[in-house]
Amino acid sequence: MAPPALKGAPLPATPVNTILLVVALQTEAAPLVKDLKLEEDTSGLFPAGVPWTKFSGEYKGMTVHLVTPGKDPIHGVDSVCTVPSSLLTFSCIQLLKPDLIINCGTAGGFQAKGAAIADVYLISETSFHDRRNTIPGYVEYGIGALEATPVAKLLSHLSLKEGVLTTGDSLDHVPEDDIIMKNNNATVKDMEGAAIAYVANMLSTPLIIIKGVTDIVDSPAPTDEEFLRNLHQAAHAVQAVVCDALDFLSSKTLSDL
Ligand code: ADE
């Protein structure tokens, strides 16, 4: 069964004035903040106690906000995974009313699908692989497949690879995940994308997902070592593609994408 398209497709002729970049890791955010000359917003926009960060600026006639889930207040590491990114995205759609969201960052890639280190993918569809529930009806709910916002002209302009993203809350994967990731037809694997797509779809906000490959999921190399070794290279590859995407988006409407 084909996954449902994002609510509201085809896209309306709304000008792309405000863009929200949702980024999980500080290392992924840093090159974008620098290149786009974004300034940190310390005005207290978010509720007291949340660790989220926001950097904003004007870029080629558009207002660009980059948000991260920030450092976990207890453990002091980046707040990765589906819960922080969902809360952040939900809140930022309410507060900032973006015309378009871009979730960008790093991911594992499947070499069986042609992925290599530092490849950058535009995501065509999102699913989850770790929400297992065999009760009738809940199997499909758990997978939660959603088609991405259609952006064929952007894809062809950027000459990117396109692939399906599978999301789970673990960096590693158990055999049950492997079966579902294969069924999901995944080319890339991350820890946030499908959750952000769930929120964007619920609130009818167009979403583009751009992911750079740090590690090969279907290889025996330890994921954590490979991830850390390639993180900066992949983050810079993503930053270059996101800047090219923003250049394309300038002066466009959603229906031009
Ligand atoms: N981010 C980067 N590599 C990843 C992987 N292998 N799994 C989940 N998220 C990732």
Side-chain angles (χ1 to χ4, degrees):
M1 188 174 59
L6 190 87
K7 271 192 255 166
L11 295 173
T14 309
V16 184
N17 290 330
T18 303
I19 296 186
L20 175 67
L21 304 177
V22 180
V23 185
L25 299 180
Q26 204 168 53
T27 306
E28 296 164 339
L32 279 162
V33 168
K34 186 161 176 243
D35 206 26
L36 299 171
K37 301 186 176 51
L38 305 178
E39 300 279 345
E40 183 156 18
D41 177 358
T42 52
S43 67
L45 177 73
F46 297 134
V50 303
W52 307 340
T53 67
K54 170 177 167 287
F55 300 81
S56 299
E58 297 297 312
Y59 183 82
K60 300 201 171 176
M62 303 174 290
T63 300
V64 177
H65 303 290
L66 183 154
V67 295
T68 81
K71 296 281 178 204
D72 180 85
I74 298 169
H75 303 285
V77 295
D78 289 324
S79 304
V80 296
C81 297
T82 57
V83 172
S85 59
S86 311
L87 291 169
L88 174 68
T89 304
F90 184 85
S91 180
C92 286
I93 292 174
Q94 316 285 315
L95 290 168
L96 304 170
K97 307 202 179 338
D99 301 306
L100 176 70
I101 301 174
I102 302 177
N103 168 225
C104 50
T106 53
F110 290 81
Q111 60 188 0
K113 294 279 191 181
I117 301 296
D119 277 354
V120 180
Y121 280 86
L122 186 77
I123 300 306
S124 57
E125 183 185 320
T126 54
S127 295
F128 293 93
H129 58 258
D130 63 355
R131 307 199 313 178
R132 293 180 289 278
N133 185 337
T134 52
I135 296 170
Y138 287 87
V139 176
E140 292 78 11
Y141 168 76
I143 298 295
L146 286 173
E147 261 180 30
T149 300
V151 288
K153 294 189 199 92
L154 176 70
L155 177 67
S156 118
H157 176 79
L158 296 177
S159 307
L160 289 180
K161 290 182 163 186
E162 198 182 23
V164 173
L165 175 69
T166 190
T167 295
D169 275 314
S170 298
L171 184 66
D172 69 2
H173 48 107
V174 294
E176 290 86 349
D177 295 332
D178 292 334
I179 293 165
I180 299 173
M181 290 191 293
K182 191 153 193 266
N183 285 342
N184 286 352
N185 195 24
T187 298
V188 278
K189 165 180 180 280
D190 83 342
M191 298 164 82
E192 290 87 18
I196 294 169
Y198 170 77
V199 177
N201 183 59
M202 193 163 55
L203 298 181
S204 299
T205 308
L207 167 69
I208 296 170
I209 303 182
I210 296 171
K211 296 280 162 172
V213 174
T214 50
D215 54 271
I216 300 302
V217 181
D218 50 346
S219 92
T223 303
D224 47 3
E225 288 171 21
E226 216 181 2
F227 169 78
L228 291 170
R229 193 164 55 242
N230 298 314
L231 176 58
H232 282 91
Q233 187 192 359
H236 279 91
V238 169
Q239 169 248 323
V241 168
V242 170
C243 289
D244 288 348
L246 291 177
D247 290 345
F248 179 83
L249 292 167
S250 167
S251 306
K252 296 260 189 329
T253 67
L254 292 172
S255 55
D256 295 329
L257 308 185

